[in-house]
Amino acid sequence: MALNHLSLLRHLLCPSLVRHVRSPVLVSSRVIVGPPVYLGTSHHPAAACARLYATKKAKAKAKGQSAKVNINSALVQDIISLDEVKDDMTTVLNALKDDFTRSLSIRTSPGVLDHIVVTTQDGKFPLNQLGQIAMKSPQLIMVNMSSFPEATAAATRALRESSMNLNPEVDGTIIKVPVPKVTREHRENLAKLAKQFSNKAKDSLRRVRSNAVTQVKKAKEGHSEDTIRLLEKQIQQMADNLAADIDKQLTVKTKELLG
């Protein structure tokens, strides 16, 4: 007898519970009278309501997440060239990689001095265009300035003021550059310089993004607000991806420098 009453009570309670958990899928203008329908694999009314509640939470979580945007660049070519924006951002990343390779190498070789820019009366030139750089020994690099002797003093100053902790010595038109010992302090200084390079790259990236967004906003007239908004979101998304790449490059380089 008690079991029969419990069964009847279950049939009466579950429809009431389901009505309290309103689901857009179950909303209807018609009322259909019939046996109770339990959601999911369980036939227990509490399990059915719990399943509905979990579904609503999942939808709310998904709503809070930012959807990715992928606009066909050909469709917005009259507003902005997304390919050019991407190229400009990629150029910033490549410049950072180049700075890391040329300026932050623990390994010593003649090429490590190639990037040093020498300021002369005729302009700025890479050191390797003014002098012949050669490795005399693992502890000494020689720079022969006989082709441009008038630039010897400027080249010496550029070497000394570089971030490589160099102390060049001049012998006529020959600049002797002792290779500094790689100490822990030197490694830490290079790691700090890597951070500065990455921050500089992010500044350049922000300028590219800002210029692109400004160009898009100028095209508001004649285009829908949704199109402009999606374009701005696409550009921000591209910048975020490149910023993440910059962080990855910094992480790898810092690990290499600190050992």
Side-chain angles (χ1 to χ4, degrees), residues 31-155:
V31 177
I32 301 176
V33 179
V37 179
Y38 301 111
L39 303 179
T41 58
S42 174
H43 292 289
H44 195 281
C49 296
R51 183 68 60 88
L52 279 173
Y53 179 67
T55 302
K56 291 181 71 177
K57 284 183 66 177
K59 288 182 178 179
K61 183 178 179 181
K63 185 177 180 181
Q65 294 177 347
S66 179
K68 296 294 184 180
V69 179
N70 189 13
I71 300 175
N72 187 335
S73 60
L75 299 179
V76 293
Q77 193 68 31
D78 59 326
I79 302 177
I80 192 171
S81 173
L82 291 177
D83 291 336
E84 290 184 5
V85 175
K86 183 178 180 180
D87 288 343
D88 290 342
M89 291 183 176
T90 303
T91 297
V92 172
L93 180 62
N94 291 337
L96 176 65
K97 293 178 180 179
D98 193 37
D99 284 338
F100 280 178
T101 300
R102 295 184 306 173
S103 305
L104 304 176
S105 178
I106 293 296
R107 299 182 300 274
T108 304
S109 66
V112 79
L113 302 182
D114 289 350
H115 74 285
I116 292 180
V117 177
V118 181
T119 302
T120 69
Q121 294 180 350
D122 297 325
K124 296 182 178 181
F125 303 92
L127 180 61
N128 62 351
Q129 292 185 10
L130 300 176
Q132 295 179 343
I133 306 173
M135 200 81 187
K136 186 71 174 179
S137 71
Q139 291 76 36
L140 182 64
I141 299 176
M142 306 284 281
V143 183
N144 188 336
M145 298 293 297
S146 57
S147 297
F148 297 92
E150 68 279 5
T152 302

